Amino acid sequence: MRSAVVVGAGVGGLATAGALARTGWRVTLLERGDRLRADPAALLLWPNAVAALRSLGLGAGLDAIATPVPAGGLRRADGQWLAQPAPQGAAAPVVVHAEDLHDTFIAGLGDHIEIRTGVAVRTVQARAGERPAVGDGRMTWEADLVVAADGADSALRSRLAPQSIAVSSGYAAWRAVIPWYRAPKLPDDLVLAGETLGGGYRFLAASLGQRGSSGASTRGGIYWTATVAGAARPESKATQLTLLKRWFAGWHAPISDLLAATEPDDLVQQDGRQLRPLPSELAFPCGPGGFVLLGDAAHAMPHHLTQGAGLALEDAATLKALVLPAIPGPGLNAALAAYSAARRPRAAQVGKQTQRVGAVLAPRGSLVTRARDRAFGALAPRVLDKAAEVAAQWQPPAA
């Protein structure tokens, strides 16, 4: 039986471990934390992420937990429209609670998997002619394939592609879900979707499930995400929430109401870093197989296009399809090379669109913001439509 070690149990790691285990691999999943857990917020999934989940065999689970996001348009901080809501095209996203998606991944892990928690990988063994291996200083795990899904600070990437370093993107982001029992009552005619923009600041809100409904929406509520120019904040969650209330004070309704209903434990601060440069390769042959970089370990980027989870799921679906027929040896080596050839250009493409969207939606300084607002009607639709097209156009490779 072919064997794999997956390092990291985030979205990409869980999706990959389950996909390999369900297709006949013996998988060991290594996680730094003391248990497998999801954060208490939610995720926007664009059509590429949905296509990846269906390719991974998790579409039925997604259908039960996803809420479509209606068109919401774009406003200034005072509520004035920059772009009115338009009919949703094929690139409409859905929102899912992170804990519901985590449950879907756990249910899909399959039987051929060993889970080890409390493991901080510190060593990487990539000797010519030998199987790839990783260790924590006490134990070593070797396999035909080692998947580095251990985030922007990947210990494996620091050994395999040391020239790629996670640096600040110049922005910090927060996500939160206000459960329905705590959510403010909003006017019936308010469409709770859409984004508000200010100089270096952005706020997006959307409904997650229906208020008062049962089933998967017991984890529902109002999801919001905020992006702020500057570095990640080291203070306590209570202090971070106080800062967010200060930064967004005076913005149009219901932003203040949403922040007032948020509790510190609802907050999840998003990693605001990016890889510079992107690794020149995402696969590294070793013996009969090798290592691959996946998710933020391969292509961490700013939050502007909300494609972190989507790209990780694309990685997982692509890897599953390419290694499905591969036998350790030349066949698996070729499959890993094909993975790198497919995924690196895609990551670079989405990274370019992310930077363009950030320049339009989150410019810094009042002068730049006013110039953006004046040109918004002509400039933004082209940039945003192109970004949505790039995000939506991905399709999984044929297995």
Side-chain angles (χ1 to χ4, degrees), residues 172 174 201 203 224 226-229 231-251 255 259 264 267 269:
W174 286 264
Y201 295 78
F203 195 96
W224 63 258
T227 304
V228 175
R233 305 298 304 200
E235 298 92 344
S236 68
K237 288 186 176 184
T239 300
Q240 292 174 28
L241 183 56
T242 298
L243 290 171
L244 286 164
K245 291 176 180 178
R246 181 187 306 163
W247 292 330
F248 290 95
W251 285 43
I255 292 174
L259 289 172
L267 283 185
Q269 186 171 194

Side-chain angles (χ1 to χ4, degrees), residues 38-341:
D39 65 48
L43 295 168
L44 278 176
L45 299 180
W46 292 86
N48 56 312
V50 174
L53 283 166
R54 297 196 186 286
S55 175
L56 291 164
L58 301 174
L62 177 66
D63 292 339
I65 61 176
T67 302
V69 177
L74 295 158
R75 299 176 186 260
R76 293 193 331 188
D78 61 6
Q80 180 178 332
W81 288 106
L82 291 168
Q84 293 273 357
Q88 290 280 36
V94 298
V95 60
V96 298
H97 200 291
E99 292 176 344
D100 287 332
L101 187 61
H102 182 266
D103 289 348
T104 298
F105 290 141
I106 295 298
L109 285 178
D111 298 327
H112 300 293
I113 189 164
E114 176 187 11
I115 299 172
R116 296 288 191 96
T117 57
V119 175
V121 169
R122 295 184 174 88
T123 62
V124 178
Q125 297 180 15
R127 301 188 182 99
E130 297 183 8
R131 296 206 300 171
V134 294
D136 65 351
R138 297 173 300 171
M139 294 187 62
T140 298
W141 292 269
E142 67 172 32
D144 301 311
L145 170 64
V146 174
V147 179
D150 50 342
D153 287 323
S154 172
L156 279 75
R157 189 193 65 247
S158 67
R159 164 69 189 279
L160 299 168
Q163 75 282 1
S164 295
I165 300 173
V167 300
S168 173
S169 67
Y171 293 89
W174 286 264
R175 297 159 38 236
V177 171
I178 307 168
W180 283 126
Y181 71 85
R182 246 197 297 122
K185 186 69 172 74
L186 303 175
D188 292 337
D189 61 350
L190 177 65
V191 177
L192 189 61
E195 196 151 10
T196 304
L197 313 175
Y201 295 78
R202 296 165 58 195
F203 195 96
L204 167 70
S207 294
L208 180 61
Q210 297 296 317
R211 186 189 293 269
S213 62
S214 59
S217 62
T218 54
R219 283 180 174 153
I222 298 177
Y223 166 62
W224 63 258
T225 178
T227 304
V228 175
R233 305 298 304 200
E235 298 92 344
S236 68
K237 288 186 176 184
T239 300
Q240 292 174 28
L241 183 56
T242 298
L243 290 171
L244 286 164
K245 291 176 180 178
R246 181 187 306 163
W247 292 330
F248 290 95
W251 285 43
H252 72 81
I255 292 174
S256 293
D257 293 335
L258 296 179
L259 289 172
T262 302
E263 295 184 352
D265 285 345
D266 298 331
L267 283 185
V268 175
Q269 186 171 194
Q270 193 88 2
D271 194 335
R273 291 172 300 160
Q274 59 188 333
L275 287 191
R276 286 197 173 167
L278 283 178
S280 58
E281 300 290 340
L282 300 184
F284 306 86
C286 181
F291 300 85
V292 297
L293 303 179
L294 186 144
D296 281 351
H299 40 61
M301 60 185 63
H303 186 65
H304 305 309
L305 202 52
T306 60
Q307 277 293 334
L311 285 178
L313 292 169
E314 287 184 22
D315 291 344
T318 301
L319 185 64
K320 171 203 167 187
L322 292 174
V323 304
L324 184 62
I327 303 300
L332 183 54
N333 291 155
L336 301 189
Y339 168 85
S340 182

